[in-house]
Amino acid sequence: MASLRAAFRLPGLAKVATRHNNTFAASAIRAYSTKPQLIPEKREEVKQVKAEFGSKVLGETTVDMAYGGMRGIKGLIWEGSVLDAEEGIRFRGKTIPECQAVLPKAEGGDEPLPEALFWLLVTGEVPTTEQVRGLSAEWADRAALPTF
């Protein structure tokens, strides 16, 4: 883990639990977020939900549902996006057209940058153009793979 910390040079990485793959992404976003307290708040919220509802049954699953591509199966709690059969997908409560309207785009582009959508999913905040540029630069700086 020490070599990963050195390779990625993430601020605050040592303070973040490293059991999940999204640790690196969360740490990188944390450095740019206007609300760095989001991660600890969300962790506490998850602990509370698990303590109160951890043994509750979400629903029943049929073979037809499984063959239907998970349609109608409650299989994951994820606030980042919701897929509704009628409305379509929502990212942090925003429809695709709403995301297209508010997320930063490349100069001369018509669609939001991937970094902007990533930021929205991880933090729940609509990023500024400056924040998206900073994240893009950070990702470009980290594009080289370490020799190990």
Side-chain angles (χ1 to χ4, degrees):
M1 193 63 204
S3 60
L4 287 175
R5 280 190 208 110
F8 287 100
R9 296 179 317 280
L10 291 175
L13 180 59
K15 298 175 190 169
V16 179
T18 57
R19 291 186 297 188
H20 303 290
N21 290 339
N22 65 352
T23 300
F24 300 115
S27 296
I29 289 297
R30 191 170 163 186
Y32 293 106
S33 179
T34 57
K35 298 179 182 175
Q37 75 279 7
L38 284 174
I39 293 171
E41 286 175 5
K42 286 296 179 183
R43 280 189 184 142
E44 189 56 39
E45 184 179 309
V46 169
K47 284 181 188 177
Q48 290 173 358
V49 169
K50 287 175 70 175
E52 187 172 347
F53 302 104
S55 62
K56 301 290 182 192
V57 176
L58 291 174
E60 293 185 25
T61 304
T62 66
V63 173
D64 283 340
M65 294 165 105
Y67 273 113
M70 296 293 289
R71 187 171 291 125
I73 298 173
K74 293 178 180 153
L76 175 69
I77 295 175
W78 168 247
E79 296 174 10
S81 61
V82 175
L83 180 56
D84 184 273
E86 302 301 319
E87 288 187 353
I89 195 165
R90 285 183 172 265
F91 301 100
R92 293 287 185 168
K94 295 181 181 347
T95 64
I96 291 174
E98 290 169 342
C99 287
Q100 290 170 318
V102 300
L103 292 175
K105 301 165 182 60
E107 193 172 314
D110 295 328
E111 296 296 329
L113 289 163
E115 294 90 333
L117 185 57
F118 177 81
W119 188 290
L120 175 67
L121 286 170
V122 173
T123 69
E125 300 174 357
V126 173
T128 65
T129 300
E130 182 179 289
Q131 288 170 322
V132 171
R133 286 182 183 151
L135 183 57
S136 295
E138 180 77 18
W139 285 357
D141 287 346
R142 297 169 187 242
L145 294 174
T147 56
F148 59 88

